Structure formats: C-alpha cells, structure tokens
Amino acid sequence: MVTELCKTNTNLYNADYNLWVLETIAKLKNKDLESLDWENLIEEIEDLSWRDKLQSLLNHIFEHLLLIVYWQAELVRNQEHWERKILNFHLQFIQVLEDSLSLHNYARDYLAEGYKRGRKLAAKHSQLPLSKFPEYPIATLEQVIDEDWLP
C-alpha cells in the first residue's frame, strides 16, 4: 500500500503526512524535482509563515483587552486571568515580530482586522452585544507591543 501511495504524492499527503514529509525530503536531497508534490509543498511552505500566528495573537490580545474594559460584571473574578493571557499573547507576539522583522508592517496593516476579530471573540465570550464594544481599535500597535500598557 505504501508503495502505491508513494506513486501518487497527493494521496500520500492525505493518507500519511509524515511519510509524505520524509519522501519529500528525500526527493529534495536527491534533487528529484520532477516527482515533487509541488502543490502541497508550496502550501506547507506558506504555512511556515508566522503571519497566521501573528494574526491569532493580535485577535486574542484585543479580545482580552476588551473583556477587561467592557465586561465589568466579571472583572473582579477574571482580571488577573485576563491580564496573564494578555501578557502571554503579548510575549508571543513580540517574539514573532523579533523573529520576523518583515511582519512588523504586516502587523500594522492587520491591526484593524485583528481588532474586528477580537471584538467578535469578546462579544461571544462575554455574551454581551457586539455593539457594547467600540467599532474602532482601542489600542495602537505601539500600545499592543508595550508590555506595560493596559487600557
């Protein structure tokens, strides 16, 4: 069965990802470019980008910033937890930016979308209406990067 899967890269990719990776590495080492599964290889390389990670972190930073400011009924019980989450997301966010300086401009461009998604997450988490949260970002990128800043 493995031999049959190796003949069709796409099936191997779907059936046994680890074997697909090992086969792909072997083909690259042997410079066997003709038989590479280019479609899946390109997709995997694109996934290596930290862009998705940066997006997720920014979404969650805004979610928790909004919870601290607007979910007053739960503030006393959850403030420390939310602040820890913000710090954790913040530290990861900074690490991504330090590891990939080219993402700094992307982070600035994504800020409004990250806020929009964080706003939706906060509304879902709190069960408060979306209109309870401001439509425009409550922080700049510089504030998000500043680990001592909280609204």
Side-chain angles (χ1 to χ4, degrees), residues 49-55 57-58 61 88-111 140-147:
S49 170
W50 286 95
R51 236 178 58 195
D52 293 343
K53 177 80 169 169
L54 184 138
Q55 290 174 347
L57 291 167
L58 199 52
I61 288 169
N88 181 35
F89 294 136
H90 165 81
L91 294 173
Q92 291 179 60
F93 185 80
I94 295 303
Q95 189 64 53
V96 168
L97 290 179
E98 287 174 357
D99 289 347
S100 300
L101 295 174
S102 63
L103 286 177
H104 195 36
N105 287 335
Y106 179 77
R108 189 172 309 287
D109 293 342
Y110 184 77
L111 188 81
T140 64
L141 183 60
E142 289 71 24
Q143 289 169 321
V144 168
I145 292 172
D146 180 355
E147 71 183 76

Side-chain angles (χ1 to χ4, degrees), residues 48-121:
L48 293 175
S49 170
W50 286 95
R51 236 178 58 195
D52 293 343
K53 177 80 169 169
L54 184 138
Q55 290 174 347
S56 176
L57 291 167
L58 199 52
N59 297 348
H60 290 299
I61 288 169
F62 277 122
E63 172 192 6
H64 288 84
L65 288 172
L66 288 166
L67 292 174
I68 283 176
V69 175
Y70 294 96
W71 200 11
Q72 295 301 308
E74 292 293 320
L75 185 60
V76 172
R77 184 176 21 198
N78 289 301
Q79 183 171 1
E80 286 182 29
H81 170 71
W82 294 335
E83 287 179 4
R84 277 193 318 276
K85 295 288 252 180
I86 291 168
L87 180 59
N88 181 35
F89 294 136
H90 165 81
L91 294 173
Q92 291 179 60
F93 185 80
I94 295 303
Q95 189 64 53
V96 168
L97 290 179
E98 287 174 357
D99 289 347
S100 300
L101 295 174
S102 63
L103 286 177
H104 195 36
N105 287 335
Y106 179 77
R108 189 172 309 287
D109 293 342
Y110 184 77
L111 188 81
E113 181 64 26
Y115 176 77
K116 179 179 165 184
R117 292 177 183 203
R119 182 175 175 246
K120 286 181 182 177
L121 290 168

